[in-house]
Amino acid sequence: MKAFQQWITDNSYAREVELSFVDCDRNKNVRPAKLLSLVAAAGGYDYDARGLTHQKLYEMGQVFLLSGIALRIHRRPVNREVLTITTWEDGAHGAHMRRVYEITDESGAVCVSAKSEWILIDPADRKILRPASFTGKPLTTCPKSIDCLDCRRITLPREGTEMLGTRLVRWSDLDGNGHVYSGNYGDIVWDVLPADLQGAPLRELYINYSREALLGETLTLQGFREGNSYTVEGRLEEGHCFSCRCEFDPD
């Protein structure tokens, strides 16, 4: 029986994980929601290992909110695979703090590359803080090139979109912050994709998070197809919530 490990260096953190049925789709390929969840959680594990737990950061008046993720899938991991996710801080750009990732298989081959952007806020008044305000530790940069495009702004065109219905935010969507967990947006998107794309080989995924969705709120979903790409946007009564662009390999 394998004992799963985690390890830390001066500028990286890594942990092993095993995919199970719940992490995969009907074709036994990893669900995009699981990949988004792995990416979102890895930074927290990194800071926990360095003594910067969520509670510690909260007491310091500095917490992170995820702003965007970019994924590039080189090979889709499948059920029962043991993977290693490694993450590095990668400095800051404007108001965003950056973090990058690689997910490798047991041979060391990279299956998924990812980049993310985070904003630092004061949890008391929800004001955005500049990255230079972060006092938890000195920011580091990734020493290697990550084979993934940067996070990007995603918008729907003015014409040619289609209404995809509404989605009520339910109790099971929420995380410990009381809003829809970032990884769960992957399932929200896949549930409204055209049927021929739901099982298609995903190549790249970009998602932006703009506004938190809370229990009882309703997401209005709109989409746009462009060849082998599909964009989904979710809006709340107060305004834009998220947008996601999925790019698939051609048949």
Side-chain angles (χ1 to χ4, degrees):
M1 182 176 292
K2 180 179 176 61
F4 296 111
Q5 301 179 353
Q6 58 180 330
W7 56 96
I8 193 169
T9 71
D10 288 343
N11 64 355
S12 71
Y13 169 85
R15 69 187 288 120
E16 294 178 319
V17 297
E18 182 178 10
L19 297 179
S20 66
F21 257 34
V22 72
D23 302 319
C24 299
D25 63 19
R26 62 180 294 176
N27 299 319
K28 300 182 181 179
N29 295 311
V30 66
R31 289 167 35 238
K34 178 61 176 180
L35 294 177
L36 292 173
S37 297
L38 286 173
V39 168
Y45 285 128
D46 185 352
Y47 279 173
D48 284 352
R50 301 176 197 275
L52 294 172
T53 64
H54 181 272
Q55 182 62 34
K56 176 69 173 179
L57 291 170
Y58 193 94
E59 292 170 355
M60 293 166 53
Q62 300 179 337
V63 298
F64 291 94
L65 291 181
L66 184 57
S67 175
I69 294 177
L71 295 174
R72 172 169 285 172
I73 298 176
H74 311 287
R75 178 184 70 78
R76 289 182 292 172
V78 298
N79 180 53
R80 305 296 296 188
E81 270 203 84
V82 175
L83 306 170
T84 297
I85 179 166
T86 305
T87 183
W88 300 261
E89 289 178 331
D90 200 29
H93 179 74
H96 292 98
M97 299 169 74
R98 290 178 164 177
R99 181 173 284 276
V100 297
Y101 317 77
E102 284 186 339
I103 299 177
T104 54
D105 61 22
E106 291 188 279
S107 75
V110 178
C111 300
V112 181
S113 305
K115 296 182 179 180
S116 65
E117 293 185 341
W118 303 73
I119 56 173
L120 186 68
I121 70 162
D122 183 329
D125 59 18
R126 312 295 283 184
K127 289 184 178 179
I128 297 176
L129 305 174
R130 301 294 295 179
S133 302
F134 183 53
T135 57
K137 63 180 289 294
L139 282 181
T140 59
T141 56
C142 181
K144 60 183 296 183
S145 176
I146 302 298
D147 187 8
C148 178
L149 295 177
D150 291 337
C151 298
R152 57 191 285 188
R153 186 167 178 262
I154 305 161
T155 57
L156 287 176
R158 293 182 179 274
E159 299 180 351
T161 62
E162 56 183 338
M163 293 302 299
L164 303 174
T166 60
R167 171 67 153 74
L168 179 67
V169 176
R170 300 183 181 275
W171 177 264
S172 59
D173 295 319
L174 309 180
D175 62 15
N177 290 317
H179 56 215
V180 175
Y181 179 59
S182 60
N184 289 348
Y185 286 96
D187 286 338
I188 291 172
V189 168
W190 251 253
D191 283 344
V192 297
L193 284 180
D196 65 306
L197 294 180
Q198 288 174 317
L202 179 67
R203 182 180 71 250
E204 293 179 355
L205 183 150
Y206 304 88
I207 186 164
N208 294 333
Y209 305 96
S210 303
R211 187 186 303 270
E212 59 185 354
L214 306 176
L215 181 64
E217 293 187 313
T218 298
L219 284 163
T220 299
L221 303 170
Q222 194 171 1
F224 177 75
R225 184 163 189 168
E226 184 180 15
N228 292 309
S229 300
Y230 201 90
T231 300
V232 175
E233 179 181 275
R235 300 187 68 86
L236 299 166
E237 185 176 345
E238 295 82 2
H240 183 266
C241 176
F242 80 93
S243 53
C244 178
R245 179 175 175 86
C246 318
E247 299 185 1
F248 300 88
D249 285 326
D251 294 334

